[in-house]
Amino acid sequence: MKQMFKHSVFLLILILQMSAGCAARLDLTQDTAFHVYTSDRSDDTLINWFAPVFGVHHYGTAHNRIGMPEAQPGDQIIINPDVPVIFYETHSFTAENGVYTNLIYRVHFQEVPFSLVPFYITYGKNPGLFVIITLNSDHNPVLVTTVGTCGCYLSIIPTTFLHEEAYPDNWDKHTTLKVYGERLPPFLDFEKTNNARLLISVRPDVHRVMDLVIISDNEHKSAYQNRHVTSRLIHMEYLKKIPINGHETSFFHEKGWLKGFVKDSIKPWEMLLLSWISLDLFVGSDKVYGNTEETGNPFYTSLKPWNRNASDMNNFAEFLKFWGWNL
C-alpha cells in the first residue's frame, strides 16, 4: 500500500510539474493585453483600502477576465466576463499571540480551457481565486495568503509587519517561493511604499497566481493607463442569493454529495487522476468558504487525506499552525 502511494505521489508531481512547466514557458513579458482590475478606494474602509489589484494577461480572451456569477435555467451557473466583480467578506480569529482579522477577496473566471499540450489538469468551469490579507490588532497586514477556490496552489507570504518569531522554521526572506512551477516573492514590504497596493498577477488560461508586487496608488494608475477595469466590491452573501426569474439561487450546491461545492465546477481531469490519491471524488472542484460544521465541506489545502482537518482553511488559526506559522 505504501509503495502504491509513493508511485501515486510521483505520478501526481510529474503531472503537476508538466502542467506548470508548460505554463511557465509562456512569454508574457510583451503582453499588451495586460489589464488591471481595480476597486474604488474613495470609501476609506479596511476592505476598500486593502483590496488587491488583479492583473490579468490576455484580457481579450473571455475566459481570462474576472466576471460575475449568473444563474441560468436548469440551475446552471456561468461567469459573465463583461461584469467585473470582486467579492469580499471579513473573518476574525484568535491565535496564541493575539486577535487577527482576515480581509477575504474572491474572484471567478469562466473556465480553464481544455488543453493537452500544455496539459491543464484543472480544466473545467467556474474556477476562482482567493486573496486573504491578515491584519493584526493595529490593522497592519502581517500575512498575504493566495489559494485557488478549490484549495489548491496555496501560498502564504509574510510582510514587514510580522514579527520574526511567527515565521516557520528555516524561512528565508531572500529565497523565491516555488509553488508548483510559479515563483513568488518570499516577503512583501508594505512600509516602503506610500499608499501601497497589492498587485496580484494572474497567469492566463489556468488562473494561477504568478506574482505579487507592492506598488503605490500613483504608480499603478500611471503604469496601466487605459488598461484599468473598474470592479465593484460586493459582499459574498450575494453568492447565496443570485437572482433568476424573480427568484434566488445559490452559487453553491446546498444539499447532497455536492453540498458546499460551486455549481458546474467539476474538474474531470483532477477527478480522474487525483481523486483516488486524495480520497475525494470531487477533488479540484471549487468550494464555499466559511464554517466547516455548517457547510459540511472542509476547505483543505493538503492533498494527503490524513491532513484534511488540520489543513482546513475554515479554521484559520489551526490552518496557519499546520503550515508552520506561529501567530
Side-chain angles (χ1 to χ4, degrees), residues 184-252:
L184 306 180
F187 181 73
L188 292 168
D189 190 342
F190 275 85
E191 293 187 279
K192 286 185 179 179
T193 306
N194 292 327
N195 296 325
R197 300 202 76 149
L198 175 63
L199 171 61
I200 306 287
S201 185
V202 182
R203 186 171 291 281
D205 295 347
V206 292
H207 315 308
R208 297 268 308 279
V209 172
M210 59 182 291
D211 200 8
L212 300 92
V213 180
I214 302 298
I215 57 176
S216 70
D217 237 354
N218 291 336
E219 180 186 1
H220 123 267
K221 288 174 182 176
S222 61
Y224 305 110
Q225 288 182 4
N226 303 319
R227 288 186 285 161
H228 284 267
V229 183
T230 302
S231 307
R232 293 171 60 198
L233 279 172
I234 298 180
H235 196 279
M236 279 188 218
E237 279 297 312
Y238 175 88
L239 294 174
K240 300 175 184 178
K241 301 176 181 179
I242 298 176
I244 178 172
N245 298 330
H247 301 283
E248 293 177 343
T249 189
S250 177
F251 191 46
F252 312 100

Side-chain angles (χ1 to χ4, degrees), residues 65-319:
R65 299 202 294 268
I66 292 170
M68 166 72 94
E70 294 181 354
Q72 293 191 323
D75 206 28
Q76 290 186 320
I77 295 290
I78 64 165
I79 305 299
N80 183 347
D82 298 322
V83 184
V85 172
I86 300 170
F87 293 98
Y88 75 89
E89 65 182 353
T90 63
H91 288 172
S92 294
F93 67 95
T94 302
E96 290 183 3
N97 297 309
V99 177
Y100 300 85
T101 300
N102 277 343
L103 309 179
I104 305 163
Y105 303 91
R106 178 174 191 148
V107 296
H108 276 269
F109 303 86
Q110 276 189 340
E111 64 175 349
V112 172
F114 178 83
S115 176
L116 291 177
V117 182
F119 178 53
Y120 294 160
I121 192 173
T122 53
Y123 154 67
K125 295 180 180 179
N126 299 345
L129 277 177
F130 277 116
V131 176
I132 300 176
I133 299 176
T134 301
L135 307 181
N136 61 17
S137 57
D138 294 323
H139 294 162
N140 292 320
V142 293
L143 287 175
V144 174
T145 301
T146 69
V147 66
T149 51
C150 55
C152 48
Y153 306 121
L154 170 72
S155 73
I156 304 173
I157 302 176
T159 80
T160 34
F161 293 105
L162 185 67
H163 53 85
E164 297 283 344
E165 295 79 10
Y167 282 55
D169 295 338
N170 302 318
W171 187 271
D172 187 347
K173 291 182 181 179
H174 307 290
T175 300
T176 300
L177 292 181
K178 297 178 181 178
V179 183
Y180 293 104
E182 302 294 356
R183 296 175 180 273
L184 306 180
F187 181 73
L188 292 168
D189 190 342
F190 275 85
E191 293 187 279
K192 286 185 179 179
T193 306
N194 292 327
N195 296 325
R197 300 202 76 149
L198 175 63
L199 171 61
I200 306 287
S201 185
V202 182
R203 186 171 291 281
D205 295 347
V206 292
H207 315 308
R208 297 268 308 279
V209 172
M210 59 182 291
D211 200 8
L212 300 92
V213 180
I214 302 298
I215 57 176
S216 70
D217 237 354
N218 291 336
E219 180 186 1
H220 123 267
K221 288 174 182 176
S222 61
Y224 305 110
Q225 288 182 4
N226 303 319
R227 288 186 285 161
H228 284 267
V229 183
T230 302
S231 307
R232 293 171 60 198
L233 279 172
I234 298 180
H235 196 279
M236 279 188 218
E237 279 297 312
Y238 175 88
L239 294 174
K240 300 175 184 178
K241 301 176 181 179
I242 298 176
I244 178 172
N245 298 330
H247 301 283
E248 293 177 343
T249 189
S250 177
F251 191 46
F252 312 100
H253 290 280
E254 296 181 304
K255 57 184 178 181
W257 284 16
L258 287 169
K259 182 180 178 181
F261 287 103
V262 172
K263 292 173 181 174
D264 303 306
S265 74
I266 296 296
K267 305 299 188 291
W269 283 125
E270 293 192 80
M271 177 184 284
L272 177 65
L273 296 169
L274 304 181
S275 61
W276 58 288
I277 299 170
S278 61
L279 301 184
D280 181 1
L281 183 61
F282 305 115
V283 63
S285 297
D286 302 271
K287 301 178 181 181
V288 67
Y289 181 62
N291 186 320
T292 299
E293 292 183 5
E294 294 177 2
T295 66
N297 197 341
F299 197 95
Y300 65 84
T301 52
S302 170
L303 270 180
K304 296 176 181 177
W306 52 87
N307 289 335
R308 188 152 299 168
N309 292 329
S311 71
D312 184 359
M313 205 169 74
N314 287 328
N315 185 339
F316 208 82
E318 293 302 313
F319 153 82

Side-chain angles (χ1 to χ4, degrees), residues 4-37:
M4 181 183 294
F5 183 78
K6 287 180 181 178
H7 287 312
S8 301
V9 171
F10 174 78
L11 175 63
L12 165 63
I13 293 172
L14 182 64
I15 290 169
L16 290 176
Q17 284 183 336
M18 178 174 67
S19 174
C22 291
R25 286 197 293 271
L26 288 172
D27 182 9
L28 301 174
T29 57
Q30 303 301 319
D31 183 12
T32 57
F34 183 78
H35 282 59
V36 292
Y37 287 81

